[in-house]
Amino acid sequence: MTTTTIGLLLFPKLTQLDLTGPLQVFSRLPDTKVYLVAKTMTPVTSDTALMLPPTIDFAGCPQLDVICVPGGSGTDDLVNDEETLCFLRQQAEQARYLTSVCTGALVLGAAGLLRGYRATTHWSAIEDLAAFGATPDRSRVCIDRNRISGGGVTAGIDFALTLAEILADRSTAQAIQLMLEYNPAPPFDAGSPDRAPEEVVSMLKQRMQGARRIRVDAIKRAADRLARASGSAV
């Protein structure tokens, strides 16, 4: 039986639920080896108090069947981190699936791996995908050929279960869902800007203005770098 290898990227200031939701699902797949991949073996600080120790570094990482990039404010740095982008491009050459959760899609885009593909990300960053030649898609899980992206944070569980069915079968994915008792019944219907109260959306957007300016600048620099690299490759 061939073992499927899945690598989840670690980096400073990642949103831990973007990572740990899919990790919980993937770790229950049969005949699967899951790696937590980072530049070095130094533990990574997430956007909470949780520290995340890598299991392998870039240099030692084997060719992966699935590479998954989670999101978080750390992606603002990652979209211009050539070492990480180079690692993703190298893995993409033979990987079966290139995947992301939340703003991890922006990192795939900055690596030039989403041009001509549909993709989704966190609602606050959906418009940024176009800077990398991707077509923004507001679905919770977006599948376009071998590119699979999940929306913001909690969508990572939906994404992982979707991929679990692809890698194994529906019954296996359903059994994992049942084992996790993933049966969402949120106390508020406020998990999307389309459904949350208008005043809540406005309040949150105002709080995010500073972070938004940082991201816009990072995306512009990354898109400019990608355009220059594409031009020199012609």
Side-chain angles (χ1 to χ4, degrees):
M1 182 70 70
T2 302
T3 299
T4 298
T5 55
I6 300 176
L8 293 144
L9 188 66
L10 297 190
F11 53 90
K13 297 183 291 183
L14 65 83
T15 295
Q16 61 86 15
L17 188 53
D18 288 2
L19 173 91
T20 53
L23 176 61
Q24 199 71 55
V25 173
F26 295 153
S27 296
R28 284 170 164 75
L29 279 170
D31 304 308
T32 299
K33 173 71 173 178
V34 182
Y35 297 95
L36 300 180
V37 189
K39 282 185 183 182
T40 71
M41 295 302 291
T42 303
V44 170
T45 304
S46 72
D47 63 358
T48 66
L50 186 64
M51 294 288 290
L52 301 164
T55 62
I56 201 163
D57 60 16
F58 286 178
C61 187
Q63 174 60 55
L64 300 166
D65 295 306
V66 179
I67 181 73
C68 180
V69 185
S73 62
T75 58
D76 294 340
D77 295 323
L78 221 57
V79 294
N80 288 295
D81 185 323
E82 189 55 37
E83 185 177 353
T84 298
L85 300 180
C86 182
F87 171 76
L88 292 173
R89 286 191 288 264
Q90 289 173 346
Q91 284 287 334
E93 292 178 4
Q94 296 184 54
R96 291 169 57 195
Y97 297 101
L98 308 180
T99 73
S100 62
V101 178
C102 198
T103 54
L106 301 179
V107 182
L108 289 182
L113 300 173
L114 289 182
R115 185 175 298 278
Y117 289 86
R118 290 181 297 107
T120 191
T121 186
H122 191 277
W123 61 266
S124 67
I126 193 74
E127 64 191 64
D128 297 320
L129 287 167
F132 302 120
T135 300
D137 188 312
R138 286 294 303 273
S139 56
R140 191 160 171 83
V141 179
C142 178
I143 303 175
D144 189 346
R145 290 157 283 177
N146 75 330
R147 269 61 163 174
I148 307 177
S149 49
V153 193
T154 60
I157 300 176
D158 301 64
F159 145 77
L161 289 169
T162 300
L163 183 56
E165 180 185 9
I166 294 171
L167 294 174
D169 53 61
R170 179 174 289 253
S171 294
T172 297
Q174 289 175 328
I176 294 171
Q177 179 179 357
L178 180 58
M179 184 63 187
L180 299 181
E181 198 173 349
Y182 179 55
N183 189 30
F188 314 111
D189 188 11
S192 162
D194 300 326
R195 303 177 71 90
E198 185 176 343
E199 64 272 18
V200 173
V201 176
S202 297
M203 176 184 67
L204 188 55
K205 284 184 175 180
Q206 185 171 3
R207 288 180 181 176
M208 296 169 65
Q209 283 181 351
R212 180 66 192 154
R213 285 192 291 270
I214 293 171
R215 174 157 292 152
V216 167
D217 176 68
I219 294 298
K220 184 180 186 307
R221 288 186 286 116
D224 288 346
R225 290 173 70 252
L226 185 61
R228 288 195 299 271
S230 299
S232 63
V234 174

